[in-house]
Amino acid sequence: MILKPNLEDLQNIAYYLGKIILGLGLVMFIPLGIGLFFGEINPALDFIIAIEITLLSGLILTKFCFSNRDLNWMQGMVVVALAWLLAMFLGAIPLYLSGHWNSYLDSCFEAMSGFATTGLTLVQDLDHLSFSHNFWRHLMMFVGGQGIVIIALSFFVLGASGVFKLYVGEGREERILPNIVHTSRFIWLVSITYLILGTAILTFFLRLDGLNFMQALFHGMCIFMAAFDTGGFTPNSQNILYYHSFAIELVTCVIMLLGAMNFNLHYHLWTAKRKEIFQDLEMRTFFSTLIFTFLIVAFGLSQTHIYPKTMLLFRKGFYQLLSGHTGTGYSTVYAKQFIQEWNPLSLFGLIMAMSLGGAVCSTTGAIKMLRVGVIFKALKEDLKKIILPERAILAEKFHHIKEVFLEDRLVRSTLFITLAYLGLYILGALVGMFYGYPFLESLFESTSAAANVGLSCGITQVSMPSFLKIIYIIQMWMGRLEFMAIFVLVGFLIALIRGK
Amino acid sequence: MKDNFKIFVFSFCFLFLILSFKFCFAKVLSSTELIENAKEYDGKVVVYQGEAIGEKIKRGNFFWVNVSSGKQAIGVWLPQNLMDKIKYLGNYKTRGDWIEVKGIFHQACFEHGGDLDIHAESISVISSGGIKEESLDIDKRNLAMILLGGLILGWILSLFRKK
């Protein structure tokens, strides 16, 4: 028998959703300030309207569904899944009002792409978009990368034990510090510190390129936010190619790598335990898969003879690969070039890298390195079991922050999430093929959406079918939250309808 | 001697026609045409029109300026004297100069890290850009006022509820 959620469940969910929405409303004051600073009248009005709607929604939910009960697991997961959907609907309001998006669906696509740090875009005439709207696109990535709920955790101290459920629901399981609120605040501390450093370095290089200080600062901050949160938006339509700069490419490579690292590892780096980088299973797996997929891409590109020099191969082949592997989506080639100039082998290498992603407890999407490492460890253990005498007792271990025993339960949950990701990649590819797109292009775009990468081979554009846009939105949402919260939401809705 | 001269002139004209057709495309091309047929136009002189957008990026005595023909923009590499012809670069508050660029197109430029670009030989401003006037959107202003009223009302009601 399925138990129907009671009124208390709904009230609790609505109350915590309200808190998160209020947090989002406060964040919108930043682009409003930018708009006022640059004297952008109508864009500022767009944000005033969006803030009013957001705060009003948050106010209604928190005041009229007031609750002082703690969240249980089911409620926590439902709150997270719904919070991301609501953030998409509310975050899309200023975008839609700007007139640079063809429909509200396109604005929602952009907002989800921003929050989920994907980077696929449906904006029109980006080169004439206001500073405030452009900043909002990048800020969504910065907020979404750290976690929408993390904001609420950091700024409004929610219930004591309930917060961990929200934290887990957002696709993070590891505590860096014993207290989850302190963990959230540490994540913000790391991000803000790197934001200041990264923006300063990028601004310096852009100033050398002749941009005035305000332009350089704006571009530097936007590029940093989208690179560190492995998002992939840029202020102009040509993405990183706009700057024609090797220095900017190198700096973004470093920022993308930092963004793909586990926040736990950042903590160890900050506390002078640098050896962790070389010992950690995730980082070892990351560098192994990066080399392996680069060999595939490089071999594929060498067959095409487009980039015959090493430097060209690095700036075009390696840059797109690192961008894909870290889930960023920064690009120095045009979308159509992937299909017309890269051969199937190099595209396969890139799709493979995109599907793997970076570290757990980072801002990347996709399967993630710890899971890939665990699967390889499990495979190694199984092979050993076959080779060694039956009576031999095996205990496989790996190093991830500490020494961890490879248990069946861990392997099972790892395989479950990995299969779910593979299923999600295939689902999007099938829908793409249903609309007549070729297999490789469909798989490329689907993997990019579901793994929150943002590289495009040209399918993502305003004229694409609306249903495909919705599928990509769902993929981005599911990929970012790592399934569990969404599965619980589906179960909750079924219980709401069919429960007794 | 006269026949030889005629043959020479004829051959020269023939070669000129063939080569100019093969290496120079007088038709004005869009960014989409260039990107989607990059292999065909690689290393050839092309004529490209579009709006100069963003910022000028300085590199020694040369500049990068990105030129958008609508859907996509292409980087144009040009010397100082050509850059001086461009006055307005498009952004939210400015409509950029609409320029015609004649130059060598590269599918993957060896000089610039494999970028797809155009090395300009000449440019001309087709129509000059300018500062865009921004007027207050009355509908948006009214909506903002109504919502502000709703927000204040909601806040007051919530105070009563708390009591």
Side-chain angles (χ1 to χ4, degrees):
Chain A
M1 188 178 77
I2 305 169
L3 282 177
K4 193 171 188 157
N6 57 33
L7 195 64
E8 278 185 5
D9 288 323
L10 295 173
Q11 197 179 357
N12 228 13
I13 289 166
Y15 174 72
Y16 282 94
L17 271 177
K19 283 260 182 189
I20 293 164
I21 288 171
L22 282 176
L24 184 70
L26 294 180
V27 172
M28 283 185 188
F29 276 97
I30 302 171
L32 171 63
I34 302 260
L36 293 173
F37 178 80
F38 284 105
E40 297 168 341
I41 309 163
N42 291 320
L45 273 178
D46 296 343
F47 282 98
I48 290 172
I49 293 168
I51 288 168
E52 287 167 345
I53 295 172
T54 309
L55 291 182
L56 193 60
S57 316
L59 192 73
I60 290 168
L61 289 173
T62 49
K63 296 296 176 188
F64 294 92
C65 302
F66 180 78
S67 164
N68 52 12
R69 285 180 301 274
D70 223 344
L71 286 167
N72 62 31
W73 273 105
M74 185 266 287
Q75 291 165 353
M77 292 286 168
V78 172
V79 165
V80 170
L82 288 177
W84 278 72
L85 277 186
L86 279 174
M88 174 190 78
F89 288 123
L90 295 167
I93 294 171
L95 302 180
Y96 179 62
L97 291 173
S98 74
H100 279 261
W101 281 264
N102 244 13
S103 62
Y104 187 62
L105 176 64
D106 287 8
S107 311
C108 286
F109 184 97
E110 191 86 5
M112 183 54 88
S113 179
F115 283 124
T117 71
T118 306
L120 291 171
T121 182
L122 289 177
V123 63
Q124 289 192 303
D125 196 14
L126 175 60
D127 300 304
H128 290 98
L129 188 66
S130 68
F131 279 106
S132 45
H133 286 103
N134 225 337
F135 194 81
W136 177 233
R137 293 170 72 235
H138 294 85
L139 189 62
M140 282 192 289
M141 290 197 147
F142 198 57
V143 167
Q146 270 56 257
I148 295 170
V149 173
I150 294 267
I151 307 173
L153 293 184
S154 309
F155 300 118
F156 305 103
V157 181
L158 303 176
S161 65
V163 293
F164 184 64
K165 287 137 195 169
L166 296 173
Y167 181 77
V168 172
E170 261 192 339
R172 292 209 172 100
E173 289 161 31
E174 296 177 358
R175 291 174 196 237
I176 301 166
L177 297 162
N179 181 311
I180 210 71
V181 174
H182 291 166
T183 297
S184 305
R185 286 183 182 158
F186 176 77
I187 289 174
W188 274 102
L189 177 70
V190 171
S191 307
I192 300 285
T193 309
Y194 283 131
L195 172 72
I196 295 165
L197 278 174
T199 304
I201 295 167
L202 287 164
T203 305
F204 170 76
F205 282 113
L206 290 166
R207 287 282 292 143
L208 288 184
D209 280 344
L211 271 70
N212 70 40
F213 180 72
M214 284 316 292
Q215 286 169 337
L217 182 67
F218 178 78
H219 280 265
M221 195 176 263
C222 287
I223 297 169
F224 175 85
M225 287 195 287
F228 183 71
D229 288 283
T230 61
F233 282 158
T234 55
N236 288 84
S237 61
Q238 287 155 285
N239 210 274
I240 292 296
L241 184 61
Y242 174 83
Y243 304 98
H244 307 278
S245 167
F246 185 43
I248 297 291
E249 286 165 31
L250 278 181
V251 176
T252 49
C253 278
V254 175
I255 301 171
M256 289 190 286
L257 274 172
L258 289 172
M261 267 171 60
N262 193 316
F263 278 106
N264 247 318
L265 267 185
H266 282 292
Y267 181 74
H268 282 88
L269 276 180
W270 283 36
T271 48
K273 291 175 192 164
R274 294 187 183 88
K275 271 198 296 186
E276 276 296 321
I277 289 195
F278 307 102
Q279 291 174 339
D280 197 275
L281 176 71
E282 268 191 307
M283 291 312 284
R284 286 181 171 196
T285 313
F286 179 76
F287 287 116
S288 308
T289 54
L290 187 68
I291 293 165
F292 178 66
T293 49
F294 179 62
L295 287 175
I296 297 173
V297 168
F299 191 74
L301 287 176
S302 70
Q303 291 176 332
T304 65
H305 306 293
I306 307 169
Y307 310 121
K309 292 183 177 177
T310 314
M311 180 54 90
L312 271 59
L313 193 64
F314 176 80
R315 286 186 66 179
K316 296 301 164 192
F318 184 75
Y319 190 83
Q320 320 310 313
L321 181 83
L322 182 68
S323 170
H325 204 324
T326 56
T328 310
Y330 269 168
S331 177
T332 56
V333 297
Y334 294 94
K336 281 284 171 196
Q337 283 184 283
F338 281 123
I339 296 305
Q340 289 177 338
E341 294 171 15
W342 288 43
N343 64 2
L345 182 63
S346 51
L347 281 177
F348 177 77
L350 186 55
I351 293 171
M352 201 173 160
M354 289 198 295
S355 70
L356 298 175
V360 296
C361 197
S362 72
T363 62
T364 65
I367 294 169
K368 294 191 179 74
M369 286 299 104
L370 185 62
R371 297 194 182 106
V372 177
V374 164
I375 290 168
F376 274 102
K377 282 274 175 189
L379 192 68
K380 193 176 143 194
E381 192 188 28
D382 281 357
L383 285 175
K384 272 188 189 170
K385 273 182 189 166
I386 295 164
I387 294 163
L388 291 172
E390 279 181 29
R391 277 179 295 174
I393 297 167
L394 274 174
E396 192 74 38
K397 279 197 303 185
F398 63 89
H399 186 85
H400 173 60
I401 313 298
K402 57 184 188 220
E403 291 299 311
V404 182
F405 279 99
L406 191 70
E407 292 169 353
D408 282 350
R409 210 173 124 217
L410 175 70
V411 176
R412 205 166 44 243
S413 67
T414 299
L415 279 171
F416 170 74
I417 298 286
T418 306
L419 283 174
Y421 269 111
L422 293 175
L424 196 63
Y425 301 153
I426 292 166
L427 169 81
L430 278 173
V431 178
M433 284 190 287
F434 175 78
Y435 279 107
Y437 294 106
F439 168 71
L440 205 59
E441 291 172 47
S442 302
L443 185 65
F444 186 103
E445 211 80 357
S446 165
T447 307
S448 181
N452 303 125
V453 178
L455 288 173
S456 173
C457 66
I459 291 180
T460 301
Q461 48 184 307
V462 179
S463 57
M464 74 196 255
S466 295
F467 184 67
L468 194 55
K469 288 177 189 171
I470 294 168
I471 289 291
Y472 286 167
I473 288 174
I474 294 169
Q475 282 187 302
M476 292 189 271
W477 179 49
M478 291 184 93
R480 174 61 182 84
L481 295 184
E482 298 199 341
F483 307 102
M484 201 48 78
I486 291 150
F487 290 159
V488 174
L489 175 66
V490 172
F492 177 80
L493 292 175
I494 291 169
L496 206 61
I497 298 162
R498 295 182 59 188
K500 287 170 187 169
Chain B
M1 183 67 186
K2 209 175 176 179
D3 283 351
N4 282 347
F5 181 71
K6 274 183 182 171
I7 289 166
F8 174 75
V9 170
F10 178 77
S11 308
F12 180 78
C13 291
F14 178 76
L15 274 173
F16 179 78
L17 278 170
I18 295 292
L19 291 177
S20 62
F21 182 74
K22 192 166 172 62
F23 294 110
C24 175
F25 289 82
K27 183 189 147 198
V28 176
L29 298 161
S30 68
S31 54
T32 308
E33 283 173 305
L34 284 169
I35 293 162
E36 291 186 2
N37 305 291
K39 200 174 177 183
E40 187 189 338
Y41 296 118
D42 187 31
K44 290 164 187 166
V45 175
V46 295
V47 179
Y48 172 60
Q49 270 190 20
E51 183 193 356
I53 50 139
E55 289 88 12
K56 56 181 178 185
I57 296 164
K58 194 173 171 16
R59 295 286 152 74
N61 293 325
F62 280 78
F63 287 86
W64 280 109
V65 66
N66 294 297
V67 180
S68 169
S69 68
K71 279 190 174 177
Q72 286 153 314
I74 292 179
V76 176
W77 176 248
L78 70 181
Q80 175 90 55
N81 63 320
L82 295 183
M83 187 68 225
D84 290 342
K85 292 184 181 180
I86 302 169
K87 196 176 170 193
Y88 292 103
L89 293 161
N91 57 40
Y92 177 68
K93 291 194 167 179
T94 315
R95 198 176 59 256
D97 289 339
W98 191 267
I99 60 170
E100 183 173 283
V101 181
K102 190 178 174 191
I104 299 168
F105 174 79
H106 299 104
Q107 180 187 20
C109 180
F110 283 14
E111 194 186 333
H112 297 119
D115 287 0
L116 184 147
D117 65 14
I118 297 170
H119 289 204
E121 291 176 345
S122 66
I123 69 158
S124 54
V125 177
I126 306 289
S127 65
S128 184
I131 307 292
K132 287 191 275 187
E133 291 289 324
E134 190 184 17
S135 54
L136 181 74
D137 188 322
I138 303 296
D139 291 339
K140 281 183 187 176
R141 188 201 62 184
N142 293 344
L143 181 60
M145 298 296 278
I146 293 166
L147 284 167
L148 184 65
L151 189 61
I152 293 167
L153 189 70
W155 181 64
I156 293 167
L157 283 175
S158 74
L159 287 178
F160 278 112
R161 191 181 160 81
K162 209 173 178 182
K163 279 173 187 173

